[in-house]
Amino acid sequence: MTRDVIVVGAGLSGLRAARDLRAAGRSVLVIEGGSRPGGRLYRRPSAVDPAVDVEVGGAYFSPRHHARMSAEIARYGLSTRPAAPSRALRRSDRRNGLSFPEHEKAATRAALRTVLRDARRITVGVGLEYQGLDDLDIPAQEYLDALDLTPTTKQWVKAWCSTIVGSDLNAVSALGILMPIAAHQHSVSGAALSHCAEIVTGTSSLVSAVAGDVDEIRFDGVITALHQHHDVVEVCVGDDEVMTARHVVLATPLNSWRGIDFDPALPARRAHMVMDRRGCRCVRLHIHARNVPGGLFRFGDAAIPVLFDTGADSGGGRILTGYADGTAIDPRNLEHVRAAVQSYLPDAEIVGVDCHDWSADPLYRGSGTHARVGQPTIMHERLGADHGRIHFAGSDVALNYPGYMEGALEAAERAVEAVLASKSPPPPPGTAPVQG
């Protein structure tokens, strides 16, 4: 049986694409390599305290800036509330360590003006490779050093970068910091507060709702090859199963493409970027603790640059959520975590730590992707361009909101439009004008 579309990956992007293609009258099969839908949206019982659920993947969004997420939530009648970081920031005061000393404010404003000037050079909706931004495609650390930030501002910027980059700032491009500011209406505060809301019942409720509008999802099917012929794509599942479809939507993380044999091969530049393994080692820690105040928010130079209170556990303690570079801290080392937390809260008693190591997960190979220096100005929009009958989705290839749930929905829209706009088969492999 040849289907109209096979969607590879049952994350938010793949599910959205499958739902919309089904609604447009296409026959669709979703093949997911794991045993659950949702991808890097993953809410589950805490490994430390199974009586409470934790989000170990994406969770937060901005109702003001993320129109697609807001529309999906409204579509399924889900309720939202201010996210834990937002609730903590509302209590901003000297006790929470969020006040900027008066003598630093002038320098901070000057640095912000520079950042805004550079972010305004980015035209949203246009690939970075077309905008003459080579002078900004430099190491993020080099860019931040040139701002000559004051101590408090430097700590805050490092904390924010740890939540969106999660990689060595010497290796990733400064455009990875400037792009979110541009996407959020060229607003520093818009980007900084883009994680201000959450779904009351968790991301799993949105995943389940979208999945309920998809006809057929097959789990535990790892795709090993995508071979294009004149009018179909052969989809190889595991070592010995082959399915066919007129189009494929590949909605898996960029790093996972390395395990897929493309025929015809991806163009050289795109293939090289895929093999170069774009990295985001950010880990989201859920630290069960005692003797800590509720509603706290801390940022600083510790191994966990950002730490905030998510809520109570079932034993009367608190769950502290922290973002950190996975190369800077080992979540399995309780002493390491304890030292990081106690640098903020000396009297804290650490009960246990829960997290999911996305970088070690063979289906994902990273918690996100952030372009290395020199990559955005070579390939940004073209990274997600169609390859014959293969169309790409997922937050990693989003044009405007890479790494966000909004980006996953954005990329799904683009893939659906490409499938529906395809009225005639492309030339045979080898002569097809494949972009990239």
Side-chain angles (χ1 to χ4, degrees), residues 3-348:
R3 291 174 173 81
D4 292 326
V5 187
I6 289 179
V7 176
V8 181
L12 182 61
S13 194
L15 292 174
R16 164 73 185 270
R19 181 197 71 193
D20 291 357
L21 287 166
R22 171 183 177 269
R26 302 303 193 268
S27 59
V28 184
L29 167 67
V30 179
I31 302 179
E32 163 60 38
S35 59
R36 59 173 181 82
R40 286 178 294 202
L41 300 189
Y42 189 16
R43 182 180 178 91
R44 58 161 173 73
S46 168
V48 179
D49 181 0
V52 296
D53 288 344
V54 293
E55 299 274 10
V56 295
Y60 306 134
F61 75 104
S62 169
R64 176 182 176 187
H65 297 286
H66 299 166
R68 296 174 185 85
M69 270 297 294
S70 296
E72 290 295 322
I73 289 168
R75 175 181 182 134
Y76 293 107
L78 303 176
S79 299
T80 65
R81 63 187 174 196
S86 176
R87 295 197 298 269
L89 282 166
R90 286 181 177 183
R91 303 170 63 144
S92 172
D93 54 25
R94 294 187 183 279
R95 177 180 62 83
N96 262 348
L98 294 171
S99 296
F100 288 82
E102 191 65 35
H103 67 275
E104 292 190 17
K105 290 182 178 179
T108 299
R109 284 193 290 268
L112 287 175
R113 284 195 294 270
T114 299
V115 171
L116 278 174
R117 178 202 68 199
D118 292 337
R120 287 189 179 115
R121 290 177 54 191
I122 298 174
T123 300
V124 179
V126 178
L128 298 175
E129 62 264 59
Y130 310 124
Q131 300 192 44
L133 300 169
D134 295 60
D135 59 311
L136 296 178
D137 196 0
I138 61 176
Q141 188 63 62
E142 179 183 329
Y143 179 84
L144 295 176
D145 288 344
L147 295 175
D148 196 24
L149 299 173
T150 55
T152 306
T153 306
K154 184 180 293 185
Q155 285 187 338
W156 173 251
V157 169
K158 177 185 177 183
W160 179 62
C161 287
S162 74
T163 69
I164 65 168
V165 176
S167 300
D168 181 1
L169 293 179
N170 289 296
V172 298
S173 173
L175 286 169
I177 295 172
L178 295 169
M179 184 65 203
I181 296 171
H184 291 87
Q185 299 180 350
H186 294 93
S187 167
V188 173
S189 62
L193 300 176
S194 61
H195 297 85
C196 62
E198 62 186 346
I199 302 170
V200 173
T201 48
T203 58
S204 57
S205 59
L206 177 60
V207 168
S208 296
V210 182
D213 284 339
V214 176
D215 277 340
E216 190 176 3
I217 305 176
R218 172 178 168 176
F219 295 102
D220 300 312
V222 176
I223 304 304
T224 56
L226 296 172
H227 295 166
Q228 299 189 61
H229 299 283
H230 178 72
D231 56 355
V232 297
V233 183
E234 290 185 345
V235 179
C236 300
V237 186
D239 296 328
D240 54 10
E241 185 177 4
V242 178
M243 299 181 175
T244 57
R246 294 178 181 86
H247 294 272
V248 167
V249 174
L250 182 57
T252 63
L254 177 63
N255 285 342
S256 73
W257 300 2
R258 299 163 65 208
I260 299 173
D261 173 40
F262 292 89
D263 182 16
L266 293 174
R269 279 188 173 181
R270 187 156 26 166
H272 175 76
M273 197 167 291
V274 170
M275 296 307 294
D276 197 28
R277 187 180 175 89
R278 298 171 73 172
C280 178
R281 291 282 306 177
C282 185
V283 293
R284 182 177 178 178
L285 309 174
H286 293 292
I287 305 163
H288 293 253
R290 304 283 184 271
N291 200 30
V292 297
L296 67 87
F297 186 104
R298 295 286 190 274
F299 68 94
D301 291 326
I304 305 175
V306 183
L307 189 69
F308 54 89
D309 175 47
T310 308
D313 63 19
S314 67
R318 308 298 299 181
I319 301 176
L320 305 180
T321 297
Y323 289 97
D325 182 343
T327 63
I329 189 167
D330 180 359
R332 298 164 297 184
N333 187 327
L334 197 60
E335 289 304 316
H336 200 181
V337 174
R338 180 179 290 112
V341 173
Q342 290 181 343
S343 68
Y344 300 116
L345 305 164
D347 297 326

